[in-house]
Amino acid sequence: MTSRRMRLFAFDFQGPAHLSAGLWRHGADRGDRYTSLRYWTDYARLLEQARFDGVFFADNVGYHDVYQGSVAGALSDAGQIPANDPFLVVSAMASVTENLGFGLTASTSYEHPYALARRFTTLDHLTDGRVGWNLVTSYADSAARNLGTGTQVPHDERYDVAAEHLEVCYKLWEGSWEDGAVVRDRAAGVFADPARVHEIGHHGRYFDVPGIALCEASPQRTPVIFQAGGSAKGRALAAGHAEAVFVNAVSIPSLARQVQQLRGLAAGAGRDPQSVRVLQMLSVVCAPTDEAAHAKYESYRRLVGYTGAMARYSGWTGLDMAQFDPDVPFRNVDTNAGQTMVDLFSKMDPDKEWTPRDIAEFIGIGGTGPTLVGSPATIADELIRWMDETGIDGFNLGHGVKYQDIADFVELVVPELQRRGVVWTEYEGSTLREKLYGPGTVRLRDDHPGSRYTVRADDRPRPAAASDYEVAV
Amino acid sequence: MTSRRMRLFAFDFQGPAHLSAGLWRHGADRGDRYTSLRYWTDYARLLEQARFDGVFFADNVGYHDVYQGSVAGALSDAGQIPANDPFLVVSAMASVTENLGFGLTASTSYEHPYALARRFTTLDHLTDGRVGWNLVTSYADSAARNLGTGTQVPHDERYDVAAEHLEVCYKLWEGSWEDGAVVRDRAAGVFADPARVHEIGHHGRYFDVPGIALCEASPQRTPVIFQAGGSAKGRALAAGHAEAVFVNAVSIPSLARQVQQLRGLAAGAGRDPQSVRVLQMLSVVCAPTDEAAHAKYESYRRLVGYTGAMARYSGWTGLDMAQFDPDVPFRNVDTNAGQTMVDLFSKMDPDKEWTPRDIAEFIGIGGTGPTLVGSPATIADELIRWMDETGIDGFNLGHGVKYQDIADFVELVVPELQRRGVVWTEYEGSTLREKLYGPGTVRLRDDHPGSRYTVRADDRPRPAAASDYEVAV
């Protein structure tokens, strides 16, 4: 049995449906309430009562229009569209919780670092240090078309933009407002000491940001950095900068290899390999008994639709799956993302030749991560085995049926995991970074590249700031 | 006495201080709590209990660094810096209220319409139709420097960008997802009917947005459009598009002229002149008696700082006021915004020559709007007189001391206004647009230019959408 605490994140989306295809049709699905604030505040309370570390919102600023060259398949199955902006629900969810963390996806390709840094700092203030950034570079051509750059920046260069974007953000978060810059001296009439607020002077290849940050330093300064990139450039960025990496392995051996590789890359980048927390994406279908869980899973399978699954898969891979016979295996494809996805399935079971329909059935419930099915004891056994045999730190839990699958997990599996001592019964440390690294670690660790931009509060006594006030209060 | 209902908005800012200079030093000021969610949810409850129509958040993505060529003066007085992002607090404030509206400032110069439209739609969903957009084109060079365009687009061209930006937003809000596009047919397996979701096909001078909106239609579709531009181009934009205009007159005659001019321009643009609601920016210092109110005002005046006031004024006008003797009147200046501001003061009192110090004392409490001082009866008399003699529809209430001034207004003045029947005791219509135009007017009025982009739900019977589901639920 593992001695390490299992981190739990709920993986969600600000729309009626996320990765699962057709399950919005299930009678218990609550995706129809996604525009309701009450839905999200109830959800936040549910997760906090179960001592989840956080909720993690995927996002996309494009949509899936690769399948049959049209967005129709995605629309008819709520295939990640409609998609509201996840940043905007956080303050409501934070207002009814004290410990739940919030992971937010934002693209370095379509957000300016000066504006994005401000959004994260604002949320880090309002949540008292509970936000994280899942850094993505965006893959959809539709995003490039609608966000005005016409065509996408090539894949590898997107990572160069991402690296500079991150650098600008670090400078704004870590290097502009010193701790103690806000003096709030009512008598002297000094709110912030200008000598302790620094221009960052960034002049780079993609961005020019010479000035000061708009916001004073927030509890975590830099939000927890998450990353999920699977390409070589993506893995390098994750190993260098991510504090937690979302992985998407389909089997334990493949996951163990990925973890080892990631931590090796992190060590190569000069970081403590254990600074890279790894969270596996995975869905759980549980019921009081194994038999009931399998019956539930079968009822889900019957709802999965081929079009909705292929609309998503085609969007993720950039490969129009309509060109293939659903029941004939296919192998090599000529896209970068497409090859990654094909690799994913061929690695899971090298002896199996996957047909499009096999893939649809697999991803239709919970997306590309595996789905565990069983009683609370079975699920707990499996989750612990995944941790023990791979070295991961926890899970990013997807769902088939929206809300209800997580509610079932909370009701059935969490108590079992708590009995086994792997999931906590009380929070320790309220910020998101403390959930990864333990109480007291609120700011970036010293081995993180962002920490080199941190301005330390200067201990030298300072001359009193100039004041034009004669009357003190 | 006026027969029209007086609209009340609270004018605020996501920072420790807004327009008033030095008043953050007052013992009752609560600006030090601006990073606390609880502060903002308490504030929302306060405003809703008093039946305010809404809270309106100013914003700036630059900062005031014109005075003495440095941001130091602004920093030392919290002169609109630090400044958090106002969008992010709305869902928390909405979660504890049911009727309060939220006006949000966003710049057409630094936000891409595809992303901004999505933000507003998301908030309009989460608030059940309670958001409005104060459209600004941004004036600060510091914003241009840090947001990557290097130098600002010239003033007049910024308004051309704004007009096209608005057009893109209208197309996304009004013309992409039909009412009824979301079918949610569980049996047929059709979430949204692709035939009812339209690409907007926008190809303009500044933006290319060919695709569909990411979000389904929200209660109001287009958020209520607010505008406050004072230049010729700004007034034309306001007259053509604004549903409510914030004005900033310093006297009743000047306000009456502005209202008449605005409504004339609106009529010229083919709109019902009464479709343009006008809200005057104004601050109130009140106490149970006139004498006590004046004593309170004097106590505020003693806190006003010259540097903080001039840091703001120099930023607004683009004119470094440090070049002038504080006690010598000045007149013509060679900046567009600067001339507007100078005009503002010369028009208020043509016989007075304003010195920089006079201006500092005037704007130091509540900014460029006038400040009314008195007992509840005096204030009520004055507010009603301003309405009756100018034709405005209500007020955007600034403050000297943060939170406390609005709390005093709520406690003392609102009951007096309710007794006189000009402020409602119960809300009618929960959306923001209904607060301007009355119950039932949730969407753009027909005379609004955005309404020409609205796709109407087609009444023709439609063929059933294709489905790959065999099992109905």
Side-chain angles (χ1 to χ4, degrees):
Chain A
M1 183 180 137
T2 187
S3 59
R4 291 172 308 123
R5 187 172 74 76
M6 184 185 292
R7 275 83 175 173
L8 291 177
F9 285 79
F11 193 29
D12 221 300
F13 188 77
Q14 282 288 316
H18 186 199
L19 304 172
S20 300
L23 293 190
W24 60 270
R25 303 193 300 140
H26 193 286
D29 190 274
R30 298 200 201 169
D32 57 347
R33 296 188 55 215
Y34 82 99
T35 60
S36 151
L37 263 185
R38 182 64 186 271
Y39 172 81
W40 295 107
T41 53
D42 284 351
Y43 189 46
R45 285 193 190 93
L46 174 78
L47 296 173
E48 179 147 304
Q49 281 159 12
R51 305 292 181 256
F52 267 61
D53 294 271
V55 56
F56 171 65
F57 286 112
D59 191 31
N60 42 261
V61 289
Y63 40 79
H64 297 315
D65 59 359
V66 174
Y67 186 66
Q68 298 177 323
S70 160
V71 70
L75 284 169
S76 63
D77 194 52
Q80 298 181 264
I81 184 154
N84 283 349
D85 186 323
F87 278 65
L88 298 168
V89 80
V90 170
S91 70
M93 295 176 80
S95 73
V96 298
T97 54
E98 291 180 0
N99 289 280
L100 190 70
F102 301 94
L104 293 161
T105 300
S107 169
T108 51
S109 300
Y110 301 114
E111 298 269 1
H112 193 284
Y114 196 68
L116 186 65
R118 183 189 188 207
R119 283 192 193 108
F120 274 113
T121 300
T122 298
L123 282 181
D124 203 52
H125 277 301
L126 293 175
T127 63
D128 283 323
R130 293 192 271 151
V131 296
W133 174 17
N134 175 42
L135 188 159
V136 299
T137 59
S138 298
Y139 54 83
D141 281 339
S142 55
R145 285 198 306 276
N146 291 319
L147 283 155
T149 54
T151 54
Q152 288 205 63
V153 174
H155 176 272
D156 280 5
E157 189 172 356
R158 291 209 301 277
Y159 279 90
D160 296 339
V161 174
E164 190 184 324
H165 192 297
L166 253 179
E167 183 186 336
V168 175
C169 288
Y170 291 149
K171 289 174 176 174
L172 290 166
W173 287 325
E174 302 287 333
S176 187
W177 292 62
E178 289 183 18
D179 290 339
V182 174
V183 177
R184 235 181 229 111
D185 184 336
R186 294 182 180 207
V190 179
F191 178 82
D193 178 354
R196 297 188 187 187
V197 181
H198 308 283
E199 297 193 326
I200 67 166
H202 181 88
H203 300 284
R205 180 164 169 207
Y206 303 103
F207 303 105
D208 269 312
V209 184
I212 66 171
L214 289 166
C215 307
E216 63 177 291
S218 67
Q220 296 187 121
R221 288 190 175 270
T222 297
V224 173
I225 304 293
F226 293 90
Q227 231 269 324
S231 68
K233 281 262 190 179
R235 282 194 300 271
L237 190 72
H241 296 267
E243 300 176 84
V245 179
F246 291 118
V247 291
N248 211 357
V250 287
S251 70
I252 286 178
S254 137
L255 178 57
R257 276 195 304 277
Q258 283 186 49
V259 171
Q260 199 173 23
Q261 185 190 38
L262 259 173
R263 294 201 166 129
L265 286 168
R271 298 175 69 193
D272 175 353
Q274 294 305 319
S275 288
V276 182
R277 302 306 195 188
V278 183
L279 304 166
Q280 162 71 17
M281 216 276 271
L282 176 149
S283 298
V284 167
V285 177
C286 65
T289 64
D290 284 342
E291 190 182 13
H294 283 282
K296 187 173 169 182
Y297 181 74
E298 283 307 310
S299 77
Y300 285 13
R301 270 171 58 100
R302 284 193 296 272
L303 292 170
V304 171
Y306 185 76
T307 301
M310 286 295 109
R312 289 170 173 84
Y313 188 77
S314 300
W316 298 332
T317 58
L319 177 72
D320 182 357
M321 294 297 288
Q323 70 192 284
F324 301 116
D325 186 318
D327 298 304
V328 175
F330 73 107
R331 280 201 171 276
N332 287 309
V333 290
D334 192 23
T335 73
N336 189 350
Q339 192 55 51
T340 305
M341 282 280 175
V342 174
D343 286 351
L344 191 75
F345 287 98
S346 60
K347 279 176 185 159
M348 177 164 55
D349 183 353
D351 299 328
K352 173 167 178 167
E353 293 203 298
W354 287 74
T355 66
R357 198 179 306 280
D358 292 333
I359 291 174
E361 291 189 356
F362 185 88
I363 66 173
I365 301 172
T368 50
T371 299
L372 305 183
V373 183
S375 68
T378 301
I379 300 291
D381 287 347
E382 272 296 285
L383 292 176
I384 290 168
R385 190 165 77 89
W386 277 73
M387 279 189 68
D388 282 347
E389 296 182 9
T390 63
I392 61 168
D393 302 282
F395 299 94
N396 191 28
L397 286 174
H399 57 264
V401 171
K402 191 161 175 133
Y403 191 95
Q404 194 57 49
D405 276 359
I406 297 291
D408 290 345
F409 184 87
V410 164
E411 184 192 337
L412 299 171
V413 182
V414 168
E416 180 70 23
L417 293 169
Q418 288 174 329
R419 266 193 296 278
R420 299 186 188 201
V422 295
V423 166
W424 56 20
T425 53
E426 293 303 330
Y427 287 106
E428 293 173 17
S430 65
T431 66
L432 183 53
R433 189 164 281 111
E434 288 171 288
K435 304 220 166 49
L436 295 181
Y437 297 127
T441 307
V442 177
R443 300 283 174 85
L444 287 176
R445 297 177 86 170
D446 287 343
D447 67 337
H448 190 281
S451 69
R452 81 172 67 110
Y453 299 101
T454 312
V455 284
R456 306 290 173 189
D458 193 333
D459 292 324
R460 279 180 295 119
R462 286 165 180 279
S467 168
D468 55 54
Y469 295 102
E470 289 166 24
V471 183
V473 270
Chain B
M1 183 180 137
T2 186
S3 59
R4 290 172 307 123
R5 186 172 74 77
M6 182 185 294
R7 275 81 175 174
L8 291 177
F9 286 78
F11 193 30
D12 221 300
F13 188 77
Q14 282 288 316
H18 185 198
L19 304 172
S20 300
L23 293 190
W24 60 271
R25 303 193 300 140
H26 193 285
D29 190 275
R30 299 201 201 168
D32 56 348
R33 295 189 55 214
Y34 82 98
T35 61
S36 151
L37 263 184
R38 181 63 186 271
Y39 172 81
W40 294 108
T41 53
D42 285 351
Y43 189 45
R45 285 194 190 93
L46 174 78
L47 296 173
E48 179 146 304
Q49 280 159 12
R51 304 292 180 256
F52 267 62
D53 293 87
V55 56
F56 170 66
F57 285 113
D59 191 31
N60 41 261
V61 289
Y63 40 79
H64 297 315
D65 59 359
V66 174
Y67 186 66
Q68 298 177 322
S70 160
V71 71
L75 285 169
S76 62
D77 195 51
Q80 299 181 264
I81 184 153
N84 283 350
D85 186 323
F87 278 65
L88 299 168
V89 79
V90 171
S91 70
M93 296 176 79
S95 73
V96 297
T97 53
E98 291 179 359
N99 289 280
L100 189 69
F102 300 94
L104 293 161
T105 300
S107 170
T108 51
S109 300
Y110 302 114
E111 299 269 3
H112 193 284
Y114 196 68
L116 185 65
R118 183 190 188 206
R119 283 192 192 106
F120 274 113
T121 300
T122 299
L123 282 181
D124 203 52
H125 278 300
L126 294 175
T127 63
D128 282 323
R130 292 192 271 150
V131 296
W133 174 19
N134 175 42
L135 186 160
V136 298
T137 58
S138 298
Y139 55 82
D141 281 339
S142 54
R145 285 199 305 276
N146 291 318
L147 283 154
T149 54
T151 54
Q152 288 205 63
V153 174
H155 176 272
D156 280 6
E157 190 172 356
R158 290 208 303 276
Y159 278 91
D160 296 339
V161 175
E164 190 185 323
H165 192 297
L166 252 178
E167 183 185 335
V168 175
C169 288
Y170 291 148
K171 288 175 177 174
L172 291 165
W173 287 325
E174 302 287 333
S176 187
W177 292 63
E178 290 183 18
D179 290 340
V182 174
V183 178
R184 233 180 231 111
D185 185 335
R186 294 180 180 208
V190 179
F191 179 82
D193 178 354
R196 297 189 188 186
V197 182
H198 308 283
E199 297 194 326
I200 67 167
H202 180 87
H203 299 284
R205 180 164 170 205
Y206 303 103
F207 303 106
D208 270 313
V209 184
I212 67 171
L214 289 166
C215 307
E216 63 178 293
S218 67
Q220 296 186 122
R221 287 189 174 268
T222 297
V224 173
I225 305 291
F226 292 90
Q227 231 267 323
S231 69
K233 281 263 192 178
R235 281 194 300 271
L237 190 72
H241 297 267
E243 300 176 84
V245 179
F246 291 119
V247 292
N248 211 357
V250 288
S251 70
I252 286 177
S254 138
L255 178 57
R257 276 195 305 276
Q258 284 187 47
V259 172
Q260 199 172 23
Q261 186 191 37
L262 258 173
R263 295 203 165 127
L265 286 168
R271 299 175 68 194
D272 175 352
Q274 294 306 318
S275 289
V276 182
R277 303 305 195 189
V278 183
L279 304 166
Q280 162 71 17
M281 216 275 271
L282 176 148
S283 299
V284 167
V285 176
C286 66
T289 65
D290 285 342
E291 192 182 10
H294 283 281
K296 186 174 172 182
Y297 181 74
E298 284 307 310
S299 77
Y300 286 11
R301 269 172 57 102
R302 285 194 296 273
L303 292 171
V304 171
Y306 185 76
T307 301
M310 286 295 108
R312 289 170 173 85
Y313 188 77
S314 299
W316 299 332
T317 58
L319 178 72
D320 182 357
M321 294 297 289
Q323 70 192 286
F324 300 116
D325 185 318
D327 299 304
V328 175
F330 74 107
R331 279 196 173 277
N332 285 311
V333 288
D334 191 23
T335 73
N336 190 350
Q339 191 56 50
T340 306
M341 282 281 175
V342 174
D343 285 352
L344 190 76
F345 287 97
S346 61
K347 278 175 186 159
M348 177 164 56
D349 183 352
D351 299 327
K352 173 167 177 167
E353 293 203 298
W354 286 75
T355 66
R357 197 178 306 280
D358 292 333
I359 290 174
E361 291 188 355
F362 185 88
I363 67 173
I365 302 173
T368 51
T371 300
L372 306 183
V373 183
S375 68
T378 301
I379 300 292
D381 287 346
E382 272 295 285
L383 292 176
I384 290 169
R385 189 165 76 90
W386 277 73
M387 280 189 68
D388 282 347
E389 297 183 9
T390 63
I392 60 168
D393 301 280
F395 299 95
N396 191 29
L397 286 175
H399 57 263
V401 171
K402 191 159 176 135
Y403 192 95
Q404 194 56 49
D405 277 359
I406 297 291
D408 290 345
F409 184 87
V410 164
E411 184 192 338
L412 299 170
V413 181
V414 168
E416 179 71 23
L417 293 169
Q418 287 174 329
R419 266 193 294 278
R420 299 184 188 202
V422 295
V423 166
W424 55 21
T425 54
E426 294 302 331
Y427 286 106
E428 294 172 16
S430 65
T431 66
L432 183 53
R433 188 164 281 112
E434 288 172 289
K435 302 211 168 54
L436 295 182
Y437 297 128
T441 306
V442 177
R443 298 283 173 86
L444 286 176
R445 299 178 85 170
D446 287 342
D447 66 336
H448 191 281
S451 70
R452 81 172 66 110
Y453 299 101
T454 311
V455 283
R456 305 290 172 190
D458 193 335
D459 291 325
R460 279 180 297 119
R462 285 163 180 280
S467 167
D468 55 56
Y469 294 103
E470 289 165 27
V471 183
V473 271

